[in-house]
């Protein structure tokens, strides 16, 4: 698992950093995004749906995404 710290950054930066990080991990691995922008709670799951990645969980300001392809 890799962690991307986007705390203090506003939309769309957390999603942009997630998009750049996903290709760097193996299929099946998780990228954790730390983001305190309230929009991340909607933006990250929406990005996962659009890009066919698996939104695993949200826990406070941590969002886990599993690479599908």
């Amino acid at each position: 698992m890799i962690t991307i710290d986007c705390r203090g950054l506003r939309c769309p930066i957390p999603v942009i950093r997630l998009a750049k990080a996903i290709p760097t991990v193996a299929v099946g691995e998780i990228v954790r995004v730390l983001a305190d922008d309230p929009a991340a709670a909607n933006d990250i799951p929406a990005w996962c749906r659009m890009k066919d990645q698996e939104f695993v969980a949200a826990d406070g300001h941590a969002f886990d995404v599993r690479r599908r392809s």
Side-chain angles (χ1 to χ4, degrees):
M1 176 191 312
I2 66 166
T3 300
I4 306 166
D5 189 353
C6 297
R7 291 174 292 188
L9 302 175
R10 297 292 167 224
C11 178
I13 301 302
V15 170
I16 290 170
R17 292 202 177 162
L18 171 60
K20 287 182 180 180
I22 278 287
T24 70
V25 301
V27 171
E29 283 193 63
I30 290 179
V31 175
R32 173 168 283 174
V33 181
L34 302 178
D36 52 8
D37 180 359
N42 292 320
D43 292 349
I44 292 173
W47 180 86
C48 290
R49 287 189 300 274
M50 290 186 327
K51 298 297 182 180
D52 194 31
Q53 303 300 328
E54 181 183 352
F55 181 72
V56 177
D59 183 16
H61 296 297
F63 303 88
D64 292 344
V65 176
R66 185 183 328 272
R67 181 176 176 189
R68 282 191 182 159
S69 57

